[in-house]
Amino acid sequence: MTVCFRPGHPYDVLNRTPQQERSRATQLRLLEATVDCLVEFGWSGTTTTLIAGKAGVSRGAQLHHYPTKAALVLAAVEHLAQRRGEEIRAEAAGLPPGRVDRVIDLLAGAFTGPLYVAALEVWVAGRTEPELRDALVPLEARVGRDLYRLAVDLLGADDSRPPVREAVHATLDLLRGLGVANLLTDDSARRRTILATWTRHLAEVLAPTP
Amino acid sequence: MTVCFRPGHPYDVLNRTPQQERSRATQLRLLEATVDCLVEFGWSGTTTTLIAGKAGVSRGAQLHHYPTKAALVLAAVEHLAQRRGEEIRAEAAGLPPGRVDRVIDLLAGAFTGPLYVAALEVWVAGRTEPELRDALVPLEARVGRDLYRLAVDLLGADDSRPPVREAVHATLDLLRGLGVANLLTDDSARRRTILATWTRHLAEVLAPTP
């Protein structure tokens, strides 16, 4: 049986040559440096030179892997969203079932951390940069679907029942909004109160009807 | 009785000289052109020259009224948030009481229109520009308080009852998140479904306990 791997795909670890391993390590350093730069300098302050410098990668290697700022940023958002999703799944695996509050806490962390800030920088830039926007639209759909699936799985939600699907969507949009409210100041005290109330309601919606 | 007016304050209409009237008209044109520029070109593409040109105001007059891009942007966000609030109050005045769905529609319009897009551009820029951020933090608090008060009034909500306050806050944060989800694509179909479910939940929370 032949198994095909997309080069650079995170799951092809076992079949990699040492050269491929080094390439992948370089890519990962570039993607993490991209998010760091977006968080520190914003979209307009982020340059490919700055990213290569922060990653400790030569300009030549950076251009080889990701020739443009847009390519770097799109790959960084997608890779880190996927990795953050895996981390959240791993953290949630240790929870006893039915802990809606803890799942909401985990998800809320994703919307107040550096990845959300970096993504927001890119989304807002995409609004007025048509090429970036065209590439972001399918990425937004993919990341959005993965996030919805993650939330449904962790909440153990049966989203075939009518209000469950909408309640999970609303939870993610609420977290998206709370992330915006946390951009300039630490909004955690207000967020905790709002999420405590929402969690009680969500738990009721998710509970199987008797 | 002597009534004091702050110069340039929107409510001093009756006491203005023709010169003051002209000044106020110039200011309003500049503030509206600022939001138009933010929507069209984003924060980094917006310049004071561009704004003065769009407003049809000389650079000298622009510098006289608002000497910096930050001054223009801060005044524009505050003025337009206030005006939008007044427009929403006026539209809501014609509604029969208890129409939570219509009130939510009106509020949702504010989070998907040009003012929200312009504000988001400024908020995201403020994250990495310390001077802008320092000026935005008190503005965010004021605009947030006014918006909360507007929502409580229009919903006829008794926010002295424990879950009401949190539910109104959550509604505004949900709308904030739905506004982000609408940045790159028209998200109105998904938004309608989520808000229909949310409205039913909110109406239950707001209903006086028997």
Side-chain angles (χ1 to χ4, degrees):
Chain A
M1 194 184 92
T2 315
V3 180
C4 290
F5 289 102
R6 240 165 62 207
H9 189 276
Y11 300 122
D12 66 353
V13 176
L14 298 175
N15 270 16
R16 278 187 207 147
T17 65
Q19 170 55 35
Q20 283 172 327
E21 283 289 353
R22 277 195 303 276
S23 267
R24 187 64 192 149
T26 303
Q27 287 176 350
L28 291 180
R29 283 214 305 282
L30 283 166
L31 300 183
E32 277 164 33
T34 303
V35 169
D36 290 348
C37 282
L38 286 169
V39 171
E40 194 172 345
F41 310 113
W43 166 264
S44 57
T46 293
T47 63
T48 52
T49 317
L50 212 56
I51 294 170
K54 207 180 242 301
V57 164
S58 74
R59 280 284 281 158
Q62 174 251 302
L63 287 166
H64 168 71
H65 289 293
Y66 304 101
T68 62
K69 177 175 164 182
L72 265 167
V73 153
L74 291 162
V77 169
E78 181 145 29
H79 164 68
L80 288 193
Q82 193 183 344
R83 209 190 61 188
R84 193 75 199 95
E86 286 162 10
E87 287 168 1
I88 292 178
R89 271 187 203 278
E91 287 179 66
L95 296 177
R99 290 301 304 266
V100 176
D101 56 340
R102 294 292 308 280
V103 170
I104 296 295
D105 269 2
L106 282 174
L107 293 171
F111 283 95
T112 47
L115 177 59
Y116 183 65
V117 163
L120 206 53
E121 289 279 350
V122 178
W123 258 243
V124 167
R127 206 184 55 78
T128 47
E129 302 203 10
E131 277 184 47
L132 180 61
R133 174 211 178 101
D134 290 347
L136 276 173
V137 169
L139 173 62
E140 179 175 49
R142 269 201 308 280
V143 170
R145 264 197 309 271
D146 290 352
L147 189 63
Y148 173 78
R149 187 44 49 201
L150 175 70
V152 165
D153 289 353
L154 299 193
L155 292 165
D158 170 11
D159 67 342
S160 65
R161 285 196 297 124
V164 170
R165 189 182 162 77
E166 288 72 27
V168 175
H169 271 285
T171 302
L172 296 173
D173 286 299
L174 173 64
L175 292 175
R176 206 166 268 133
L178 288 167
V180 172
N182 199 60
L183 272 186
L184 301 182
T185 51
D186 175 5
D187 190 41
S188 53
R190 193 184 71 96
R191 185 168 64 246
R192 256 195 306 276
T193 324
I194 292 171
L195 287 180
T197 306
W198 174 249
T199 297
R200 280 194 294 278
H201 170 64
L202 183 62
E204 280 171 28
V205 174
L206 298 180
T209 36
Chain B
M1 192 184 93
T2 314
V3 180
C4 292
F5 290 103
R6 243 164 60 207
H9 189 277
Y11 301 121
D12 65 353
V13 176
L14 298 175
N15 270 15
R16 280 188 206 146
T17 64
Q19 170 55 35
Q20 283 171 328
E21 282 288 352
R22 277 195 302 277
S23 268
R24 186 65 194 148
T26 303
Q27 286 175 350
L28 292 180
R29 282 214 305 281
L30 283 166
L31 300 183
E32 277 165 33
T34 303
V35 169
D36 291 347
C37 281
L38 286 168
V39 170
E40 191 171 348
F41 309 112
W43 166 263
S44 57
T46 293
T47 63
T48 51
T49 317
L50 213 55
I51 295 170
K54 209 181 242 301
V57 164
S58 74
R59 281 282 283 160
Q62 174 252 302
L63 287 165
H64 168 71
H65 289 292
Y66 304 101
T68 63
K69 177 175 162 181
L72 265 167
V73 154
L74 291 163
V77 170
E78 182 147 28
H79 164 68
L80 288 194
Q82 193 185 342
R83 209 190 60 187
R84 193 77 198 92
E86 286 161 11
E87 286 167 2
I88 293 177
R89 270 187 205 277
E91 286 179 66
L95 297 177
R99 290 301 303 266
V100 175
D101 55 340
R102 294 292 309 278
V103 170
I104 295 295
D105 270 1
L106 282 175
L107 293 171
F111 283 95
T112 46
L115 177 60
Y116 183 65
V117 163
L120 206 53
E121 288 280 348
V122 178
W123 258 242
V124 167
R127 207 185 54 79
T128 47
E129 302 203 10
E131 277 183 48
L132 180 61
R133 175 213 177 99
D134 290 348
L136 276 173
V137 169
L139 173 62
E140 180 175 50
R142 268 201 309 279
V143 170
R145 263 197 309 273
D146 290 352
L147 189 62
Y148 173 79
R149 186 46 48 199
L150 175 70
V152 165
D153 289 353
L154 299 192
L155 292 165
D158 170 11
D159 66 343
S160 64
R161 285 196 299 125
V164 171
R165 189 180 162 77
E166 288 73 25
V168 175
H169 272 285
T171 301
L172 296 173
D173 286 300
L174 172 67
L175 293 175
R176 208 167 266 134
L178 288 169
V180 172
N182 199 60
L183 271 187
L184 301 183
T185 50
D186 175 4
D187 191 41
S188 53
R190 193 185 71 96
R191 184 168 65 243
R192 255 194 306 275
T193 324
I194 294 171
L195 287 180
T197 306
W198 184 273
T199 297
R200 280 194 294 276
H201 162 61
L202 184 63
E204 278 171 31
V205 175
L206 297 181
T209 37

